[in-house]
Amino acid sequence: MTQFHRVTPDFAVTAQLQPADFARAAAEGFKTVISNRTEGEEPGQPTEAQVRAAAEAAGLVFRSVPFKGAPPPGVVSATAELLGQVQGPVLAYCRSGRRSIMAWAMAQALVGARRPDEIIALAAKAGYDLEGARGALETLAPKA
């Protein structure tokens, strides 16, 4: 069973979701799912059409912000904008959850929603070490 790692009451990350996971996500109160995976990234990965259909069948809003590696500036901006528009709680996924939490972290810093120390602490509680991203988070964070 895929584990949902709560970062905040309104945001969680997880590894690759399978079509059957979307009903459980809806039952646990999620309203929106964000995919950070690129199509065909690895063999056996469900297609975007399959996960979109499963999400919508479960009553969830599905959005896709695919990328590989560290989130580029466009992905950070798109994530910040998306998180400001969609209804939460939001569940974001990629292969392991790491890309998704990085996109969230950078977006939080960019819009000034949280300071880097808080972002890193929240990620750590969810099981992700973002200490190595401190410099990037501090660069993105608004200056007081």
Side-chain angles (χ1 to χ4, degrees), residues 18-117:
Q18 297 301 317
D21 293 320
F22 291 92
R24 182 170 66 94
E28 289 189 24
F30 291 100
K31 303 295 183 201
T32 301
V33 174
I34 299 173
S35 170
N36 294 128
R37 291 208 77 178
T38 57
E39 189 75 24
E41 189 175 306
E42 92 183 3
Q45 170 186 336
T47 66
E48 184 173 315
Q50 289 171 317
V51 293
R52 179 180 299 278
E56 291 172 354
L60 298 165
V61 172
F62 180 85
R63 297 290 184 262
S64 181
V65 184
F67 67 99
K68 289 184 178 181
V75 165
V76 174
S77 296
T79 300
E81 185 176 328
L82 185 58
L83 291 173
Q85 294 173 346
V86 298
Q87 183 180 5
V90 173
L91 177 62
Y93 77 91
C94 58
R95 188 184 62 77
S96 68
R98 176 110 178 130
R99 256 180 289 174
S100 294
I101 201 162
M102 286 296 296
W104 170 85
M106 299 292 187
Q108 292 290 288
L110 179 67
V111 300
R114 291 182 169 78
R115 301 291 308 151
D117 286 339

